Amino acid sequence: MRRSKRYVEWPATTATKQMDFYRSRSKEVTDMLSRIADSMYWMARYLERAGETARLMEINLLYLVEAEEDMGEEDKWRPILEITAALPQYVELYGDDAITTQRVLQFVCGGRTNTNSIRTCLRLFRENARVARDRISKEMWEAVNDIWMTYNERLRGSITLEKASNLFVELRNQVARFNGLLAATMMRGEAYAFCQLGGCVERADMIARILDVKYHIILPDIHLVGSALDYYQWAALLKSLSGFEAFRRTNQSGFEPKAVVDFAVFEHDFPRSLAFSVDRAGAALANIGLEGKEKTAAAFAALQTLLASSNGETVFTSGLHEFLEQVLGLLAGFHCALAEEFFQ
């Protein structure tokens, strides 16, 4: 039989060599798919982190205008550095530990030594998108470059309050546009599922951090619980989650801490709640498949069980901070299991 010129011969004739060749090719394919999965997952995480940080900064700028006059700049900005886990790097960079508006704006927006600055997140978002370039649509890749170049261009010169405010609004809109392109143009499959998974894990992590910092750090005096300042801060927290209007429509009791936590953690219909993020992550895992991935399955089941067995009442009885620490620990454990079983 005459063979096509495209026919590829096995490199050897013995069964052993053929099997070695097959295994080496199989490993190459597996490594390639792992890199793609890893890149899609992190592409989504870094974009989500950049967008959520911009959203936090935007709300905090409004807070600067309306906050109590006797609050210092440090009181207003330290929570942002705590939420983004950037305080140690900030102290290392500036040394004197003085937290000022100008420094924080520069450090969070464009700090090159800040591993969680918006600029760093967008750079890593682009690098991961480049690795998975053949899995995303042309429109998505163009949006990736547009987001990165526009933001980088805007960082030129000093960052004033007005400039920062415009910068955050613009980035928030660009992130929304990218997510729209992702939903509208990307093929459904494992790459898409890993992208969904990364976004959900990052969002859940950020929600837990925001709640924890609000509960323990933002309010300067325990006697201010229930005060106008406390009321304003819970409302600001909901705004940072884009949940202010949705909360008002579904709750008539005002900004009671338990009601806000119940909404931000356990409301399955609110897209920026912990419960919704975990539900979506579960759907993504179902598309990927967990056969033979016992660690990942167990880590995710533990997270689901904790949320299913808790509610606003039990969380405040046992301690909100303790509950959120559990959530963050389980999210970290799930990420580690995922990385070990899918990305290595």
Side-chain angles (χ1 to χ4, degrees), residues 291-306:
E291 186 177 350
K293 310 293 185 186
E294 287 80 10
K295 291 181 180 177
T296 303
F300 189 70
L303 186 60
Q304 285 181 307
T305 301
L306 176 65

Side-chain angles (χ1 to χ4, degrees), residues 147-286:
I147 291 172
W148 165 248
M149 288 188 290
T150 302
Y151 187 83
N152 215 24
E153 177 69 24
R154 298 283 191 272
L155 287 180
R156 290 188 179 183
S158 62
I159 302 176
T160 63
L161 290 176
E162 183 180 0
K163 181 177 176 179
S165 180
N166 294 332
L167 190 62
F168 300 142
V169 172
E170 185 176 29
L171 178 59
R172 183 157 51 81
N173 291 335
Q174 285 186 313
V175 171
R177 174 175 166 250
F178 180 84
N179 287 331
L181 288 171
L182 186 149
T185 67
M186 189 172 171
M187 287 287 290
R188 298 308 191 257
E190 284 194 352
Y192 181 81
F194 275 107
C195 194
Q196 293 291 95
L197 192 57
C200 291
V201 170
E202 185 64 35
R203 182 172 296 182
D205 184 273
M206 186 63 95
I207 292 168
R209 288 176 186 276
I210 291 171
L211 279 170
D212 199 24
V213 169
K214 163 65 188 95
Y215 193 69
H216 279 271
I217 297 176
I218 293 180
L219 200 64
D221 186 338
I222 193 67
H223 296 100
L224 292 174
V225 172
S227 66
L229 178 61
D230 192 32
Y231 178 93
Y232 176 78
Q233 288 180 346
W234 283 112
L237 183 146
L238 284 167
K239 288 177 182 174
S240 71
L241 297 175
S242 293
F244 182 77
E245 291 80 11
F247 178 85
R248 291 288 298 273
R249 280 195 294 272
T250 56
N251 288 272
Q252 310 300 322
S253 59
F255 297 100
E256 293 292 331
K258 286 180 186 176
V260 175
V261 169
D262 212 24
F263 184 77
V265 175
F266 300 107
E267 178 54 68
H268 289 271
D269 292 331
F270 175 49
R272 291 187 178 278
S273 74
L274 260 175
F276 185 91
S277 301
V278 171
D279 288 347
R280 291 294 296 274
L285 281 176

Side-chain angles (χ1 to χ4, degrees), residues 41-221:
Y41 175 81
W42 278 110
M43 179 188 78
R45 284 202 71 159
Y46 281 123
L47 183 63
E48 184 75 21
R49 190 175 299 177
E52 292 298 315
T53 303
R55 190 184 298 272
L56 269 175
M57 293 290 285
E58 184 184 350
I59 296 299
N60 215 51
L61 288 180
L62 294 174
Y63 176 59
L64 285 177
V65 177
E66 301 182 34
E68 303 256 317
E69 292 182 356
D70 58 348
M71 285 188 75
E73 285 184 84
E74 179 167 337
D75 294 329
K76 296 167 183 171
W77 287 108
R78 181 177 286 273
I80 297 293
L81 297 174
E82 294 275 0
I83 291 171
T84 57
L87 185 58
Q89 295 172 67
Y90 179 93
V91 173
E92 183 179 351
L93 178 64
Y94 293 107
D96 57 6
D97 201 19
I99 297 177
T100 66
T101 300
Q102 188 55 46
R103 281 181 176 183
V104 173
L105 284 177
Q106 189 63 45
F107 187 67
V108 174
C109 292
R112 293 174 186 267
T113 60
N114 178 4
T115 52
N116 287 319
S117 74
I118 296 174
R119 183 186 183 279
T120 300
C121 290
L122 291 181
R123 179 176 60 77
L124 294 172
F125 156 66
R126 185 169 183 265
E127 286 181 7
N128 280 283
R130 186 198 298 276
V131 174
R133 172 73 184 86
D134 63 338
R135 302 303 173 100
I136 64 177
S137 67
K138 177 174 175 288
E139 291 87 349
M140 286 172 66
W141 177 243
E142 289 173 351
V144 168
N145 285 316
D146 188 39
I147 291 172
W148 165 248
M149 288 188 290
T150 302
Y151 187 83
N152 215 24
E153 177 69 24
R154 298 283 191 272
L155 287 180
R156 290 188 179 183
S158 62
I159 302 176
T160 63
L161 290 176
E162 183 180 0
K163 181 177 176 179
S165 180
N166 294 332
L167 190 62
F168 300 142
V169 172
E170 185 176 29
L171 178 59
R172 183 157 51 81
N173 291 335
Q174 285 186 313
V175 171
R177 174 175 166 250
F178 180 84
N179 287 331
L181 288 171
L182 186 149
T185 67
M186 189 172 171
M187 287 287 290
R188 298 308 191 257
E190 284 194 352
Y192 181 81
F194 275 107
C195 194
Q196 293 291 95
L197 192 57
C200 291
V201 170
E202 185 64 35
R203 182 172 296 182
D205 184 273
M206 186 63 95
I207 292 168
R209 288 176 186 276
I210 291 171
L211 279 170
D212 199 24
V213 169
K214 163 65 188 95
Y215 193 69
H216 279 271
I217 297 176
I218 293 180
L219 200 64
D221 186 338

